[in-house]
Every structure is written in C-alpha cells, then in structure tokens.
Amino acid sequence: MKWQTTFLLITQGIELVETGQCAIALGSNLGDSLGILEAALQVLAATPNINIQAKSSWYQTKPIGPPQPDYINGCAVLQVVALSPQQLLEILLQTEVKFGRVRQERWGARTLDIDFLLYDDVILDTPSLQLPHPRMSERAFVLVPLAEIAPNWVEPVSGKAIAQLLQALDCSGVTKLPA
C-alpha cells in the first residue's frame, strides 16, 4: 500500500496539506503507562482534523539511556486534514505536556513520549522537525508495533517497507503485552 498526500505544497517554508497519513510512536515508563497511552490516543482522536486509522498492540520494551523502568510502547496511524507537519508536531508536543511530560534528560524516563515518525512520503529537515524520524529504522520498539499496523508503508529515505526495515533488527527486547 502506498501512502501519499492528496495535496502537498511546500513553498518558502509554508506547508499546506489537504489530507495526509501520519505514523506516530507512543511510549511511557512513569505512572500508569497503559492508562496514559490509551488516554493520549483518546485526546488525539478528539482533536479536530485528526482521525486514528489504526492502533498497534502495546509492547513492553527495554529503555535506551540512563537506568530507568521498562517502557510500554506502541504506534498509531493517523489521518490528518488541513494540518501541516509542523502543526501536527505542535499538537503532539501539547499532548505530551497534558500528560506531565517534562524534558529534563535526553532519553530519560517520561510519562508520555510521542514521536512523529512519518508523514506520507514527505522528507523534511528543519531545526524543529525531521521526517521521517531520523532514528526510527534503528529501533525495534518503534518498528515492531509499526509493522503490525503498516508493514508495507515505504520509509522514503531508504525506499524500504517498514517490514523490511524490521528484518534487520534484534527484536528480543520487545514483548507484546496481552490484549
């Protein structure tokens, strides 16, 4: 399946988008992680111009960075209408803040982390946003849940489908939680 924008115009830094398919990764390792993740998806679903198309299972994963509890991670595919990538990023950051996210330490523990992974086949590199997410293809905790809901989505930099990227990773630290 090819994901593409119905209409995307980028001129002089202004982005206008009619509709688009986006992929996000969600994670939490502080507080009631499952409750926080489900509530964050509900907040996004209630946001104008955002429709959740698919949601992965939740997975327990080992943390990257300093010593901290294991994470609960998953992914979602969103359909967005009339939202540029930058506007969607702002909504995702605001959602993190609603759930107590405080940015103190890189790769530190957090109540909610939402990573913006893909926006159709857009390649974007600005000071505040890189698409596709620059480290997504190195992370089993991202690709395992994303492959569950969008295995054929082609990551535009590598030209490989998510399922292909996943084959190159060690997934031993990613455990699917019971439904």
Side-chain angles (χ1 to χ4, degrees), residues 8 10 12-15 85-86 89 116-119 121-135 155-157:
L8 174 64
I10 301 177
Q12 300 176 355
I14 299 171
E15 305 165 31
Q86 189 62 45
L89 175 64
F116 192 170
L117 304 175
L118 295 160
Y119 195 109
D121 58 0
V122 171
I123 298 172
L124 184 65
D125 190 357
T126 71
S128 62
L129 179 60
Q130 289 181 289
L131 291 172
H133 189 286
R135 291 170 298 284
E155 190 276 338
V157 173

Side-chain angles (χ1 to χ4, degrees), residues 59-166:
Y59 294 81
Q60 183 172 351
T61 65
K62 299 296 177 198
I64 293 176
Q68 58 188 297
D70 286 353
Y71 274 84
I72 305 297
N73 289 100
C75 287
V77 173
L78 312 177
Q79 179 182 23
V80 298
V81 178
L83 290 175
S84 71
Q86 189 62 45
Q87 290 169 319
L88 180 58
L89 175 64
E90 289 304 316
I91 290 168
L92 299 176
L93 293 173
Q94 290 168 8
T95 303
E96 288 180 336
V97 170
K98 285 180 187 175
F99 289 90
R101 171 75 187 266
V102 177
R103 295 177 185 274
Q104 294 178 338
E105 178 180 25
R106 185 171 191 192
W107 296 326
R110 54 203 68 176
T111 54
L112 179 62
D113 182 38
I114 305 176
D115 286 338
F116 192 170
L117 304 175
L118 295 160
Y119 195 109
D120 290 323
D121 58 0
V122 171
I123 298 172
L124 184 65
D125 190 357
T126 71
S128 62
L129 179 60
Q130 289 181 289
L131 291 172
H133 189 286
R135 291 170 298 284
M136 68 177 272
S137 62
E138 304 164 5
R139 296 177 169 172
F141 65 85
V142 170
L143 293 185
V144 168
L146 187 57
E148 179 185 323
I149 57 174
N152 299 320
W153 193 329
V154 175
E155 190 276 338
V157 173
S158 68
K160 294 181 179 178
I162 298 305
Q164 289 176 287
L165 293 172
L166 179 59

Side-chain angles (χ1 to χ4, degrees), residues 34-52:
L34 278 175
I36 290 167
L37 294 167
E38 290 288 349
L41 284 174
Q42 290 174 0
V43 166
L44 290 172
T47 302
N49 301 331
I50 295 177
N51 183 26
I52 297 177

